[in-house]
Amino acid sequence: GGGAAFLAFDGGLLEFLQACAGTNSSNNNSGGTPKKGGHVVEGNFTDIRTFNSMLSSDTASNQVIGLMFDGLTNQKKDGTIIPALAESWKTSSDGLTYTFKLRSGLKWSDGQALTSDDVKFTYALAYDPAYKDFASPRRGDLSKYIASIDTPDAQTVVIKTTQVYAPFLASHGQYGILPKHVLGSMDGKALNTADFNNGPTVSNGAFKFVSWQKGQQVTMARNDNYWAGAPYLDQWIYKVLPDSVAVTNQLKTGEIDIGPIDPGQYDSLTGTSTVARSEFPVPSFNFYAYQLDPAKPAGPLFQDKQVRQALIYALDRNAMNQAIYFGHATAADSVEPPTSWAYKAKPQVVYNFDKAKAESMLDAAGWTKGSDGKRAKNGTPLKFTMITNAGNKQRESTLTYMQQAWAAIGVDATPSLIQFPQLVSQIVDIRTFDMFLVGFNWSVDPDEAPLFHSRNTAPGGFNGADFKNAQVDSILDQALVTLDQNKRKQLYYQFQDIMSDLVPAPILNFAHGIWGVNTRVQGTDFGPFNQYGLRQWNHNVWVTDGK
């Protein structure tokens, strides 16, 4: 996740935002002298899906990928882009060419040189027709906007775009660079299932892979060849726990050192002196999406926007957010997060709770109540299943609330809980769902084409709900080739107005990022745009006890 390359579905409960003051400092640093050695255990309640940066479409995978693979650039917690593998870059006057100069002496963890060929190979996976069978969620955008990549020498990468592409640096400059010397002999189809995706043999980030016990933990060790200097820690462990409450409880007991705090458990940490809490706005939202492919069983239920609008009118989102998020979330009216400079607080249609209106809209759409109080149209019941990831207590409770609210207007909606990797697979690959509930983590740039442009309905793309609208496509495309921020903002205002009317994927809320860090751990610096994979401070983390 984060404000750059890793646009991703979010398995966590803290992937949201609202402009609020931090409760505590998000920089856990006593100012003491760093010690070498020891380990950190980071806990979360979802396992990862892949270690391949160009396949990853979820924040859990990105958290681990970010520890092992750096991109051309990185970013500060406020979204400012900073050098990483590339020490510098420049953009041509016509906005079509990006020239990156890599640092000298870059090495993979196995000692081999990291060169411009590795960068070209990594990006080719998502734009070059030769890799069309590689299921990257970034293919829809990069295949449209990258014209060519040249490598005049081992330290220079020249990326030319087909046209001006405003979000290129912010949204596509930070993918973890992959090793051509390990993967370069494979075709796109073979790369989808490469052993590397489950256990990378080399890395270029602060840590290197040791083991992955699926459903339990990922263990990583110090990479002594890291370009910014070997990290202080011997090991970083990513531990998978049953649910969000367990994460908070293990922060209390010291069984884990870092983790997202369950909003319902936030106050329970007040007296825990060993845990420093931080709360901040994040560029994400929580949303549910309708199955819009008319060829799928549930698709015909949601083709009429009156039905989609009625269902959101039936939800008292203010009450839901208070009961489920305990004041750490607010109802969302826009598809752009408030951290975005293109955010429009009041788009064309605002959905306040109105049960009577919801019922009258369903009646008008032909979905009338039978003697059993349930709605049907021409013999077809308004009945469907809603999926989300098990272990996220907020999402589990949200589905229960939605089930009850919709039952009150005659709609039969059944919650179903699955593991987060399977949820992401349903959205980007399988796509047999009726409705899904998930979060999405955005870039510092307001472009939302990855989730809402029709080209990203392609297999592996984020637009698994099959939303296709020519006017939305046109506006998103115009915004991408507009460098004037004020003009771009007006286009995104139009986009938000249209989406508020069509509601293919209603945004439920913007919540806060809330993280806990054990006070023995120093050097963390969580903020809005670096809570997931893009943590430029990873290698500077150390533990006071050296254990």
Side-chain angles (χ1 to χ4, degrees), residues 107-109 203-208 221-226 229-231:
K107 291 183 179 180
W108 291 98
S109 58
S203 66
N204 62 48
F207 296 88
K208 58 186 179 182
R222 176 194 298 116
N223 175 15
D224 289 319
N225 285 331
Y226 187 49

Side-chain angles (χ1 to χ4, degrees), residues 22 103 142 168 193 261 306 330 373 386 403 464 535:
R103 298 176 186 275
L142 294 187
F168 179 75
T193 55
I261 298 172
Q306 280 196 93
T330 55
M386 310 175 289
Q403 178 186 33
R535 302 170 178 172

Side-chain angles (χ1 to χ4, degrees), residues 221-266:
R222 176 194 298 116
N223 175 15
D224 289 319
N225 285 331
Y226 187 49
W227 64 266
Y232 297 114
L233 295 172
D234 294 330
Q235 284 190 327
W236 195 296
I237 296 169
Y238 178 91
K239 183 178 181 181
V240 182
L241 295 171
D243 55 46
S244 54
V245 174
V247 173
T248 306
N249 286 337
Q250 290 205 9
L251 280 168
K252 290 181 190 177
T253 61
E255 293 170 83
I256 64 171
D257 299 300
I258 299 172
I261 298 172
D262 184 292
Q265 302 294 311
Y266 183 85

